[in-house]
Amino acid sequence: MRALRILLITVVILGGLFVAADRLLLNYAESEAAEKIKARQGLSGATEVAIEGFPFLTQVVGKELERVDVTVRDIETSANGRRVVITELSAALHDVRLGSDYSSATAATATGTARISYADLTKAADEDVTVAYGGNGKLKVTGTVDILGRSLSRSVVSTVSLVDGGTIRVRADKVPGEGIPRLEDMIRQKTDFDRKLSGLPEGMKLQKVQADEKGLVITVAGTDVPLAG
């Protein structure tokens, strides 16, 4: 009985040491991975990495991680030459393959969401145009037009969509003053716009865009997404 007790205590201690070592190495790997992803993708914002699955050590030995969650904040991109900041990009990376020397990593698939605030969307619009939430998944776009020598502010409710795989399109559902010669065209020249978004992390593509109270929510996805190397 005494020998069995000693054996059980030894197993518990060794198991505890294994778990502690596994978690310690996991924390180190997540920190290193965040830095490598920032360097590989040319990111400047804060980057967080969470490696899922237990134990971590057996995944490393097998050179394949089941899932890695990555969150990047304040990604600087451009839209038709205008600077746009993606407030946050969160992605779930699946079947991440590690290189032979562990210096590179590639995710077989990736899915996630990116957010652009209305303040940043306004910066990407034309001069004297503001963009806000219009309710029911729509945008409220306000622009200033010159009519008979007077500057008038007009607001429209607009639909946002994704076209050509990477262009965010904003179009007014209806324009106040429709039927008045040239007025509709003048308002639409201000409130309707297309912005091709570029500068996303390598391997990620836009899938869908929708509007909510906080800004645009963009669904992104990718295959064979490089994380490091």
Side-chain angles (χ1 to χ4, degrees), residues 112-148:
T113 56
R115 282 191 169 275
I116 299 177
S117 71
Y118 290 120
D120 284 303
L121 189 58
T122 293
K123 293 176 183 178
D126 289 336
E127 189 177 353
D128 297 328
V129 172
T130 59
V131 184
Y133 187 55
N136 297 319
K138 302 283 188 174
L139 302 180
K140 177 184 177 182
V141 184
T142 303
T144 301
V145 296
D146 291 326
I147 302 176
L148 299 177

Side-chain angles (χ1 to χ4, degrees), residues 152-180:
L152 299 178
S153 179
R154 289 291 182 269
S155 296
V156 296
V157 174
S158 301
T159 297
V160 59
S161 60
L162 186 67
V163 297
D164 300 328
T167 298
I168 296 174
R169 171 166 290 176
V170 177
R171 290 289 184 273
D173 295 347
K174 187 177 180 180
V175 175
E178 285 181 339
I180 301 177

Side-chain angles (χ1 to χ4, degrees), residues 18 21-23 25-26 53-63:
F18 174 80
D22 188 82
R23 296 300 90 183
L25 288 174
L26 173 64
F54 178 83
F56 168 66
L57 287 173
T58 57
Q59 296 186 73
V60 172
V61 171
K63 291 187 172 61

